[in-house]
Amino acid sequence: MATLVIEGRSWAATPRFQLFLGILTLTLVAVVTAAPVALVVVGALEGNLWRSVFIDSTINRSAIAYSFLLALRAPVAAVVGFAIAWLLIRVRVPGSRFIEFALWLTFLVPVLPVTLSWILLLSPSYGLINKIAEMLPFVTSPPFNIYSVGGILWVQMLTSSIPVMVVLLAPALRQLDSSFEEVGRISGAKPFGVFCQVTLPILAPAILTGALAGFIKSLETFEVERLLGQPSGIWVYSTRIYDLVSLEPPNFQAAMSLSTFIMFFLLVIAVAYQRVSSRFDYATILGRGTRLEPMQIGRWRYIMSAALFLLIAISLAFPLFMLTVGSCMKLFGFFTIPSPFSLVHWTEVLNDPLFAKALRNSLVVAGGAGFGGVLIYAGLAQIVRRSRLPGRQMVELLAWLPWSIPGILLGISMLWIILTVPALSAIFYGSLTSLVTIIVIAQMPIGVHMIKTSIGQISRELEQSARVSGAGPFSTFVVIVLPLVSPMLVSIFVIVFISALRDISTTIFLANGNSQTLSLLMMQFALSSNLEGAAVIGVITTSIILVVAVVARHFGLEVFGQR
Amino acid sequence: MLYRSRLLVTILVVLAGLSARAPAQVGDAAKWAEIQKAALAEGGELNVTGPPSPALRAALSAAFKARHGITLNYFADTTSAIVARIDEEFKAKKLSIDAHIGGMSTCWLFAARGQLLDINGKLVDPEILKPGVWRTGAPKLTELSATGTGPNDPKCAFQTTEWVYNSVFENTNVVKTPIKSWNDLLRPEFKDKIVSFDVRSSGPGEPPAAYLAKVMGDDYVKKLYVGQNVKFSTDSRQLAEWVARGEASIGIGLVQFAVEIYRRQGLPIAPVIVDDGFGGASTTGGFGCIMLFKNSPHPNAAQVFANWMGTKEAQEIYEKNMSEKSLRTDVDTGDAVPDYVREQPGVKYLINDYVYSWYIGERAEHLKVLTAELPR
C-alpha cells in the first residue's frame, strides 16, 4: 500500500533527527530486552552443560517433547477462540455481552484453586464425576484421569487458552467493517467463500499474533503442569526449569542451557511471523467509519448461545464457586468433615500485618505496569507499524525477546543487571519501580504485537488526513490512532494488570520486605500448605481484577467513543 | 631469674590452654546492653529471610518489635530463591539481608561461599546462657566442617530446635495390615500406591531416603523407590492430601505442618513408626537455625536478633508456628508439636541429619546411588 510522506516543517522531520530517534529507540529496546537474554546465553555458555542437559537427561528430552505436544493447544484454542469471538461480536448471539464478560472473568480466576477444583472432580480415585460415572452399570473403571496429558489440556484450554484468545480477538473483530463482507456477497460469493477469501485474510494478523502468543506462553505455564503432570511422570519445559532453579543451590546454568532451546525456536518463528504477517496488510477501519452489522444465522443463534453458556458454566461457574467456597472452608475440598465451613482463613489473611502493604504494593505495581506498559507498547507499535525510522524492523523482532526466556530467568538476569550498575541499584533495587519495569518488559511481546496488529487495521488515510490538516505525528497518534485502537488498549491493559497482580516468578528476586505484593503473599500461604489462605487471596485478587476490568472496559471504551 | 621467667611463661601457657578449652559463649550483661543500644542506633530496622510461614512472620515481627523496638522486615521465600538473591547481592557487595532462619544445608552452602559470620561468640544475652536452659547443656552451635567441632572453632549457625523427622505416613482406612518393619513397605499391595517428596529435588524427600539407605542398604532403597514405582511430587500439601484421601496408601517425606492440617480434622492419616533399633528416623533441626551474614547492613541488630531467637518468648513462637521442637527445656507448646516428632526418652537415634560429616559425606553418597536409578 502506498504511503503518503508528509514533509514536516520542523527539525523533527529531518533525516538526521529521524536517524537519531531510530537509533535511540532501537538502543533502548535492545537494552531492556536483549541484555537479560544475553546474560542467559552467557550463563549457558559458561556452564557448558549442554550434554548433561540435552543428551544425558531423559527427563529434559521428554519435557521438551511434552511441551510441544501441549503447546499444540494454542492453534486449537485460536480456532475455538476465534469462533467464540465471532459468535459474540459478529453474530451477537443472545447474552453475548454477558458471555464475553464471563470469558474475561474465566481468564482472571487464579490457576491454582481452579486446578485443585478440577482434581476434586476428575481425580481417578475420588473425583466426583468419576464416582458418579462408576455408578453406571457399563462403567467398570474411572473414565477420567486428571493426571494426564488430556487433563492438563482440559484445564489449560478451559481456564486460559480459549478465554485469552477471545479476549485478544474480540477487539480485532470489533474493528472489522461489515462492508467488506457485503461487497463479497454482492459480488456473488457464498458465505463460506466470503469468510475464507475476505474475512480470514483481514483478520489473519490478529489470529496469527494471538496463536503465536498463545503457543509461546503455553511453553511457560507450569502450575497446572506441576500439579497434574509430575505425579504421572509428565514433565514439561517449564517444570524442569522450575525444578532446576529450586535446587539448593539453584542450578541456573542448567536452566539457562535448557532455555536456549526455546530461545532459538522463538527466534526462528518470530522471523517467520514477521515475514508472513507483512503479507497481510488490510485496513478495516476506514475514513467513512466502521459499521458492524450482525450476521444472521437463524435459530442457530440460540443453540450457539446455549453452548456458550454451558462453556461458561464449566469453565467459570464451577471454579469460581470452588475458589469462593474453598476460601471459606476449614479444609479445601473436604465437605464431609465436621463443620467444614469457617471464616478463620479470612481472618488470618485480613489480620496479617503484611496484607495491607501487599495490597497497596500490588495496586501500584499493577496500575503502573498497566498504564505505563500500554503507553510504551502503543508507542513502539506505532513506530514499528507506521514510522519509517531506521531499525524499526529490528525493534519488532526484539520485542519478542522477553518471551524467549522463562520469567524466573528474566528475573534473575534483571537482578544481576540492577545490582551491577550502581545507578540502577540506587534507584531500582527493592523498589516498586523495579517491579513495574520488569512486568512492562515481560509483557512487551503481547503488548507491542497485538497493538501493532490493531494499528494495522486502521486505514492510513485517517492519519494522513490529520497530517494534511496540520496535526503533527504525536497529535495524530494521540487524537486519531489511540481512540481507534482503544478496544485493544483496554484488553492489553487488563492483561498486563492481571499479569502484574499475579506474577511471582518474574518479580520474586526484585521484591524485598517492603515491596512484597499480594501474589508473593499468596505464594507464602501456598508454600506453608495453607491453601485456604491462598484461596482467600485468590478471591481478593480476582475481585480487584474484576472491578478493574469492568471499569477499564466501560470507561476506556466510553472515553474513546467505542460504545 | 631465669627460673622465675620460665615459671611465669609456664603459668601463662597453662592459663591460655585452659581458656582455650573454656566455652566461647559467655553471658555479658554490659556487652549485651551495648549491642542493643548500637542496634537501635543503626536505624531500628532488621532484614531477615526465613521459611515461608505467614504466621511465623507475623508473630516474630510483632514480638521482636515489642521486645527490642526494632522493626523486623521478614522476607519469606523458598530457600533456593533466598540463596540466589543473597549470592547475587554478595557478589555486587550490596547485601540487604542481615540474618537467615533456615536449615543446615543452607548454612553450609552460605559458609562455603564465605558469606557467613562466625556465630561463635555472638551469643551474649545472659538469659539464654544460663545453665539448664538447653537440652544440649549450652546453646547448640553447628559446625562449619567435619573438623570444626571444638568449642572455639568457627561455627555456622545457632541451632534452636531438634526433633525426629518421622516422615512416613499411611492411610489407616486403606492399610489394613500394620507396618512393623521397613520390609513391609515392599509388600505387593503397595506397588504404585506409595508417594514421596521428590528425592531428586532438595527438600524433605532426602532425609528418609538417606536414612533407609543407611539402615536397610542401598539395594532396599532401590527396591522401594524403583521397584514399588513410587510417585513423586514436590508439593507437600498435595502429598499429604493424597494419603489422607486414600489416593496413596503410603507417603514418604511428608512434613508435619502439611500432615497435621488433615490429622486435626480427623482424617485417616497416621505416622508409620518402625522400631528398627536405630530410632526409626533421623533427627534434624528443621528450619530452626539462625545464621548471620558478613557485611550486613545492620550487624548489631542482627546479633540482637540471634540472641532473641534463643529466648523462651521467641522459641515458643517458633515452636508453635513451625511444629518443630525447641531445644530449650522450658518451652513446650503442647499439641503444636505432634508426638511423632518429639524425641522419645530412652531411644538412641542413629542419625542426626545436621552433622556435617554425615550430611556431606555418606548421606550424599546414598542419595547419589538412588537418584542414579531414577529418570533424570
Side-chain angles (χ1 to χ4, degrees), chain A residues 341-365:
Chain A
F341 298 103
S342 167
L343 291 177
V344 64
H345 301 293
W346 276 92
T347 311
E348 198 180 3
V349 169
L350 293 175
N351 284 338
D352 189 313
L354 197 56
F355 174 73
K357 190 193 279 189
L359 175 63
R360 196 185 66 242
N361 289 343
S362 285
L363 290 174
V364 168
V365 171

Coordinates of all heavy atoms in Angstrom, one line a residue, chain A residues 341-365:
Chain A
F341 N -17.2 -25.5 57.2 CA -17.0 -24.1 56.8 C -16.6 -23.2 57.9 O -17.0 -23.4 59.1 CB -18.3 -23.6 56.2 CG -18.8 -24.3 55.0 CD1 -19.8 -25.2 55.0 CD2 -18.1 -24.1 53.8 CE1 -20.1 -26.0 53.9 CE2 -18.5 -24.8 52.6 CZ -19.5 -25.7 52.7
S342 N -15.7 -22.3 57.6 CA -15.2 -21.4 58.6 C -14.6 -20.2 58.0 O -14.1 -20.2 56.8 CB -14.1 -22.1 59.4 OG -13.4 -21.2 60.2
L343 N -14.6 -19.0 58.7 CA -14.0 -17.8 58.1 C -12.7 -17.6 58.7 O -12.1 -16.5 58.6 CB -14.9 -16.6 58.4 CG -16.2 -16.6 57.6 CD1 -17.1 -15.4 58.0 CD2 -16.0 -16.6 56.1
V344 N -12.1 -18.6 59.4 CA -10.8 -18.4 60.1 C -9.7 -18.0 59.1 O -8.9 -17.2 59.5 CB -10.5 -19.7 60.9 CG1 -10.2 -20.9 59.9 CG2 -9.3 -19.5 61.7
H345 N -9.7 -18.5 57.9 CA -8.7 -18.1 57.0 C -8.8 -16.7 56.5 O -7.8 -16.0 56.2 CB -8.6 -19.1 55.8 CG -8.4 -20.6 56.3 ND1 -7.2 -21.0 56.8 CD2 -9.3 -21.6 56.3 CE1 -7.3 -22.2 57.2 NE2 -8.5 -22.7 56.9
W346 N -10.0 -16.2 56.4 CA -10.3 -14.8 56.0 C -9.7 -13.9 57.1 O -9.0 -12.9 56.9 CB -11.7 -14.6 55.8 CG -12.2 -14.9 54.4 CD1 -12.7 -16.1 54.0 CD2 -12.2 -14.1 53.3 NE1 -13.0 -16.0 52.7 CE2 -12.7 -14.8 52.2 CE3 -11.8 -12.8 53.1 CZ2 -12.8 -14.3 50.9 CZ3 -11.9 -12.2 51.8 CH2 -12.4 -13.0 50.7
T347 N -10.0 -14.3 58.4 CA -9.5 -13.6 59.5 C -7.9 -13.6 59.5 O -7.3 -12.5 59.7 CB -10.0 -14.2 60.8 OG1 -11.4 -14.4 60.7 CG2 -9.6 -13.3 62.0
E348 N -7.4 -14.7 59.2 CA -5.9 -14.9 59.2 C -5.3 -14.0 58.2 O -4.3 -13.3 58.4 CB -5.6 -16.4 58.8 CG -4.3 -16.9 59.1 CD -4.2 -18.3 58.7 OE1 -5.1 -18.9 58.1 OE2 -3.1 -18.9 59.0
V349 N -5.9 -13.9 57.0 CA -5.3 -13.1 55.9 C -5.5 -11.6 56.2 O -4.5 -10.9 56.1 CB -5.9 -13.5 54.5 CG1 -5.5 -12.5 53.5 CG2 -5.5 -14.9 54.1
L350 N -6.7 -11.3 56.5 CA -7.0 -9.8 56.7 C -6.3 -9.3 57.9 O -6.0 -8.1 57.9 CB -8.5 -9.6 56.8 CG -9.3 -9.9 55.5 CD1 -10.8 -9.8 55.7 CD2 -8.9 -9.0 54.4
N351 N -6.0 -10.1 58.8 CA -5.2 -9.6 60.0 C -3.7 -9.7 59.8 O -3.0 -9.3 60.7 CB -5.6 -10.4 61.3 CG -7.0 -10.0 61.8 OD1 -7.4 -8.9 61.5 ND2 -7.6 -10.9 62.5
D352 N -3.3 -10.3 58.7 CA -1.8 -10.4 58.5 C -1.3 -9.0 58.4 O -1.8 -8.2 57.5 CB -1.6 -11.2 57.2 CG -0.1 -11.6 57.0 OD1 0.7 -10.6 57.2 OD2 0.2 -12.7 56.7
P353 N -0.3 -8.7 59.2 CA 0.2 -7.3 59.1 C 0.8 -6.9 57.7 O 0.9 -5.7 57.4 CB 1.4 -7.3 60.2 CG 1.6 -8.7 60.5 CD 0.4 -9.5 60.1
L354 N 1.1 -7.9 56.9 CA 1.7 -7.6 55.6 C 0.6 -7.3 54.6 O 0.9 -6.8 53.5 CB 2.6 -8.7 55.2 CG 3.5 -8.5 54.1 CD1 4.5 -7.4 54.4 CD2 4.3 -9.8 53.8
F355 N -0.7 -7.7 54.9 CA -1.7 -7.7 53.9 C -2.0 -6.3 53.3 O -2.0 -6.2 52.1 CB -3.0 -8.3 54.5 CG -4.2 -8.2 53.5 CD1 -4.2 -9.0 52.4 CD2 -5.2 -7.3 53.7 CE1 -5.3 -8.9 51.5 CE2 -6.2 -7.1 52.8 CZ -6.3 -8.0 51.7
A356 N -2.1 -5.4 54.2 CA -2.5 -4.0 53.7 C -1.3 -3.5 52.8 O -1.6 -2.9 51.7 CB -2.7 -3.1 54.8
K357 N -0.1 -3.7 53.2 CA 1.0 -3.2 52.5 C 1.1 -3.9 51.1 O 1.4 -3.3 50.1 CB 2.3 -3.4 53.2 CG 3.5 -2.7 52.6 CD 4.9 -3.1 53.2 CE 5.2 -2.5 54.5 NZ 6.5 -2.7 55.0
A358 N 0.9 -5.2 51.2 CA 1.0 -6.0 49.9 C -0.1 -5.6 49.0 O 0.1 -5.6 47.7 CB 0.9 -7.5 50.3
L359 N -1.3 -5.3 49.5 CA -2.4 -4.9 48.6 C -2.1 -3.6 48.0 O -2.2 -3.4 46.7 CB -3.7 -4.8 49.5 CG -4.9 -4.2 48.8 CD1 -5.4 -5.1 47.7 CD2 -6.0 -4.0 49.8
R360 N -1.5 -2.6 48.7 CA -1.2 -1.3 48.2 C -0.1 -1.5 47.1 O -0.1 -0.9 46.1 CB -0.7 -0.4 49.3 CG -0.7 1.1 48.9 CD -0.1 1.9 50.0 NE 1.3 1.7 50.3 CZ 1.8 1.2 51.4 NH1 1.0 1.0 52.5 NH2 3.1 1.0 51.6
N361 N 0.9 -2.3 47.5 CA 2.0 -2.5 46.5 C 1.5 -3.1 45.2 O 1.9 -2.7 44.1 CB 3.1 -3.4 47.1 CG 3.9 -2.8 48.2 OD1 3.9 -1.6 48.4 ND2 4.6 -3.6 49.0
S362 N 0.6 -4.1 45.4 CA 0.1 -4.8 44.2 C -0.6 -3.8 43.3 O -0.5 -3.8 42.0 CB -0.8 -5.9 44.6 OG -0.1 -7.0 45.0
L363 N -1.5 -2.9 43.9 CA -2.2 -2.0 43.1 C -1.3 -1.0 42.4 O -1.5 -0.6 41.2 CB -3.2 -1.2 44.0 CG -4.4 -2.1 44.5 CD1 -5.3 -1.3 45.5 CD2 -5.3 -2.6 43.4
V364 N -0.3 -0.6 43.1 CA 0.7 0.4 42.5 C 1.4 -0.3 41.3 O 1.5 0.3 40.2 CB 1.7 0.9 43.6 CG1 2.8 1.6 42.9 CG2 1.0 1.8 44.6
V365 N 1.9 -1.5 41.6 CA 2.7 -2.2 40.5 C 1.8 -2.5 39.3 O 2.1 -2.2 38.2 CB 3.3 -3.5 41.1 CG1 3.9 -4.3 40.0 CG2 4.4 -3.1 42.1

